[in-house]
Amino acid sequence: MTLHLAPGTVLTALPTSQVVAPWLVLGVHVSRGRSFDLYEVSGEGLQGGWLAKIPWLPEELPAEFWERRFGLLPTQAELGALGLSQVATGGGLFRVTGAAAPAIVEARVEGETLAERVRRTGPLTLAEALTLGRGLCALLIALHGRDWVARCLSPEHIVLRDNDLSSPVFVGLGNGAKRQSRVEIAKRSVDPRYTAPEAIGEVSGIYLVPRTDIYSLGCILAFAVSGEHPTGRPEAPWSDAAFARFAPLPDGFRLLVAHLTQTLHKHRSATVEKVLTWMSDESLPTMATQGFGALSLLRPLDAEKEPEAVPAAAHLSVLSPGPLVVRPREAEVAPALSPPTVSAAAPAEAPAEAAAPAAERRWWSLLGWLLMALALASLVARALRS
C-alpha cells in the first residue's frame, strides 16, 4: 500500500513506552526503504531531529496481510526503546491521520550509511574495516545481550556519525526480532545478500540466534573492503571483482570472512564475543588457529595472472567448507610421483581391456543356457508324441 501523505498531517501518540510527545506533525518525505516510508516530523517541545517510519505494502496484497504486517509494529518499536547507544532511539508509536498504518517514530541519526561512505570514498582499508568490525561487534553484543537479533544487518542499516567507524549505529528496525521467536509470515522479506541462508524463508525462529547476525557481519566486512555487494548465492557469494579486492589482503582477513560466512550455521562461531578476539591486525586468525586449519580462499584471484591460469582444482569444494573456502584433497597437495620405467597401459584404456573378456564370457554363458533350453524342449516333445 503506497501512502501519499501531505506535510502537516497530524500524528497522535499511541499508549506505548518512550513516547516523545503527545502529538507530532508530519514534515517532508525523506526516502523509501524496503518496508517503510520515512518522513521528518516536528512537535512542540520536541528536541533534536526525529523521523516517522510508515510501513508501505503493494496495493495488490489482501487486507488481511496488511493487518498482520501492521500488527508487528509494536514489537518492532520495542527494539528502539531498549536504550542502547548503538541503536537509533525509539520515540514510540503514533496513529497517522488518514492512514491505515501507525508510524514508528525514532531519533534521526546524523551521518552517512556505510553504503553511502563506500560509494563516496571507495572501499575501506584493512585497518578501517577492522575498526568498523570491532564497532559492529560491540553493537551486536549489546543487542544479543537483550535477547534480540538484527536478522538482516546490511550497509544501508549502518550509520556512521561524524565519519566515526568505531561507533556505528543500527537504524531501520524492521527486521529485528526477539531471539528464537516465531517469524510472522507477513514480515519474511529480508535482503538475501546479507541474510544467513538458514534464516531466509524460515519462520519457526529456531535459527534466530547470534550465528545469524555473525553471517551478516562477515558479509559487511567483505563489502567494506571490496565495495561489492554479495551475490545472494551462499555457495558463491562473491563476484570476481570482490575476489580481486580480497587478493592483496592478509590471509588472516580472508580466513576470518570465510569463517563468518560459513554456509552451515554450526560452523560459525556461536558468540560475537569470540569473533571480537580476531578483529585486529595482531589477532587475525591463522591456519594454526583452532577451527581455521582447513580454511582457505576458495578461488583466489591474482591480479598478475589471467583467469585461465587459476587451477581448476581451486574451484572444488570438499565436504562443507563454506562459501569462501576449500579443503584440498590429499591427492591435490601430495608431490607428483615420477612416472614408472616399465610401460603400462593408460588408465583410460585399462577398464576397456579388462571389460572385453568379461563380456565374452557373459555371451558364451547365455548361449549355453539357450542350447540347454532347446534340448530340454526337444525331449519333452518326444515324450508327448510317444
Side-chain angles (χ1 to χ4, degrees), residues 209-382:
V209 294
R211 282 189 170 102
T212 298
D213 288 342
I214 286 173
Y215 183 92
S216 296
L217 174 61
C219 289
I220 289 172
L221 289 177
F223 166 78
V225 299
S226 69
E228 299 289 328
H229 292 290
T231 64
R233 297 166 49 207
E235 74 281 3
W238 315 116
S239 64
D240 287 347
F243 273 111
R245 294 281 187 175
F246 298 153
L249 298 176
D251 291 340
F253 183 81
R254 296 198 294 269
L255 286 171
L256 179 59
V257 173
H259 175 74
L260 300 182
T261 56
Q262 286 286 290
T263 303
L264 292 180
H265 73 286
K266 65 180 181 180
H267 291 168
R268 303 174 216 136
S269 292
T271 66
V272 181
E273 286 87 347
K274 182 63 176 177
V275 175
L276 182 58
T277 64
W278 302 314
M279 203 68 70
S280 69
D281 282 309
E282 300 77 18
S283 63
L284 283 172
T286 68
M287 298 293 283
T289 304
Q290 185 177 1
F292 287 83
L295 301 182
S296 63
L297 194 62
L298 174 62
R299 190 180 53 153
L301 294 183
D302 190 332
E304 298 179 358
K305 294 181 181 180
E306 294 297 327
E308 54 266 25
V310 179
H315 297 267
L316 298 177
S317 177
V318 185
L319 297 178
S320 55
L324 269 183
V325 299
V326 63
R327 183 178 292 112
R329 298 173 181 172
E330 294 181 3
E332 294 169 354
V333 297
L337 300 177
S338 58
T341 56
V342 179
S343 62
E349 299 172 358
E353 294 175 352
E360 291 177 4
R361 288 195 297 269
R362 286 196 296 271
W363 280 109
W364 281 113
S365 177
L366 181 60
L367 181 59
W369 282 105
L370 182 59
L371 291 175
M372 289 178 61
L374 290 174
L376 180 60
S378 177
L379 289 175
V380 171
R382 283 183 187 177

Side-chain angles (χ1 to χ4, degrees), residues 9-167:
T9 300
V10 175
L11 282 66
T12 307
L14 292 171
T16 54
S17 61
Q18 303 293 329
V19 174
V20 294
W23 57 270
L24 299 170
V25 177
L26 209 63
V28 298
H29 182 263
V30 176
S31 64
R32 164 165 287 191
R34 289 170 56 87
S35 306
F36 291 92
D37 275 308
L38 268 65
Y39 293 84
E40 292 182 351
V41 290
S42 59
E44 185 176 354
L46 191 64
Q47 301 295 319
W50 293 81
L51 295 173
K53 299 171 52 178
I54 303 176
W56 69 273
L57 293 169
E59 295 180 355
E60 61 271 16
L61 291 177
E64 179 187 358
F65 193 93
W66 296 349
E67 293 174 3
R68 296 175 68 171
R69 174 69 181 87
F70 299 157
L72 298 174
L73 297 178
T75 301
Q76 292 168 9
E78 289 179 22
L79 183 54
L82 293 178
L84 301 177
S85 61
Q86 302 94 338
V87 176
T89 303
L93 278 178
F94 285 74
R95 181 181 294 107
V96 183
T97 302
I104 296 178
V105 173
E106 65 181 40
R108 183 168 191 164
V109 181
E110 299 297 336
E112 62 182 346
T113 67
L114 176 61
E116 292 169 339
R117 161 66 190 272
V118 171
R119 191 161 50 241
R120 179 175 62 84
T121 65
L124 306 185
T125 65
L126 175 62
E128 290 173 332
L130 291 174
T131 298
L132 173 66
R134 292 190 293 272
L136 290 175
C137 283
L139 185 162
L140 292 174
I141 289 171
L143 202 61
H144 298 162
R146 298 294 187 92
D147 266 350
W148 280 82
V149 176
R151 190 167 167 244
C152 178
L153 191 63
S154 68
E156 291 79 14
H157 290 156
I158 299 168
V159 174
L160 309 174
R161 294 175 294 194
D162 300 322
N163 203 29
D164 183 5
L165 293 166
S166 65
S167 301

